[in-house]
Amino acid sequence: MTLSSSLQSGPVAQGTGWASGIQTATWNLLSSAAGMPLTPYLGQTLAEVTLNNWGSLQIGDYVCFEQGPHVVGLFAQQPYYSFQPMQDVTLQGKTVQDLTGLGYLQWLESVGAYEPKPAPNSSSMSAEAALLDYFAVLNAGLPAPQQSSIGSTLVPNGESFSSMASIFQALVPLGVTPWQPPPPGSAGNPELSQEFGVGLWPDFRNFNTNYLAGDGWVGEFITVDRTTTSSPWLVTGFGTGP
């Protein structure tokens, strides 16, 4: 695993095998509780070793980051049925909220790891920018009329901006895998359609988490399309596979 080069670089990773700034900031907080901050290793590739903790209802796995013969990072994961981002907690099972007193989204904003700044969509925005704008509108705490007005510029005409978010309340992008161009000769037009792998965390500020089955975070492939090369990119689909 290659850590982000900055804790404030937001949800977009540099590529496959890289962690986003959000993920790296979270692991740094949790590992720091074990006396192993990850800040000396930003931008570096570390070996990730998982140790199973069979039978426990509190800790499912221990995760070690190693550099050569040295363990440089250490945190834990709750078992699969978990409402923690990426299932990650400290070795003692403490959550981000336990450590900071803040909800996950609020903590990310407080340390500058993710600051949603919504803007009306335009044809000058890239597919990636439009995708991030979609989440920013959900997470910025805008008044409902303003959220609806800006959000309607990011989805096809006639579709509800909050059709998926109405279940989760909001969707914090833990990590966005940048779009990769298809191989030559493959079907599809990358000028008109792109797809991103996104790890999402629901914001449960005003929501009963017991409504959801399974863990609280979910991985999605999200499609962003436009009708012409001069049209704005729109978020058109969510799915569990490309």
Side-chain angles (χ1 to χ4, degrees), residues 8-157:
Q8 286 79 41
S9 59
V12 180
Q14 292 190 34
T16 304
W18 284 75
S20 71
I22 286 179
Q23 292 169 311
T24 303
T26 304
W27 295 333
N28 178 62
L29 175 73
L30 300 175
S31 187
S32 292
M36 296 183 179
L38 295 173
T39 46
Y41 308 99
L42 296 181
Q44 298 184 34
T45 300
L46 304 174
E48 182 178 358
V49 179
T50 301
L51 306 174
N52 294 320
N53 189 38
W54 302 113
S56 172
L57 298 178
Q58 302 300 319
I59 300 296
D61 302 304
Y62 294 102
V63 180
C64 303
F65 284 144
E66 299 179 353
Q67 187 177 66
H70 304 291
V71 174
V72 299
L74 196 58
F75 55 93
Q77 292 185 321
Q78 291 184 341
Y80 182 75
Y81 287 89
S82 167
F83 287 108
Q84 302 313 313
M86 303 170 290
Q87 303 168 227
D88 295 336
V89 292
T90 69
L91 292 181
Q92 292 74 33
K94 291 185 177 180
T95 67
V96 170
Q97 187 159 359
D98 292 334
L99 294 174
T100 67
L102 299 172
Y104 188 61
L105 176 58
Q106 287 70 39
W107 173 72
L108 291 174
E109 292 178 293
S110 73
V111 298
Y114 174 60
E115 300 177 81
K117 298 178 180 179
N121 195 10
S122 73
S123 56
S124 64
M125 295 173 66
S126 67
E128 182 181 286
L131 175 63
L132 295 178
D133 196 27
Y134 180 94
F135 298 120
V137 176
L138 287 173
N139 291 310
L142 300 173
Q146 187 179 6
Q147 184 189 72
S148 178
S149 175
I150 298 178
S152 65
T153 69
L154 291 158
V155 297
N157 289 337

Side-chain angles (χ1 to χ4, degrees), residues 14-16 177-183 195:
Q14 292 190 34
T16 304
T177 302
W179 174 81
Q180 298 295 323
E195 193 169 68

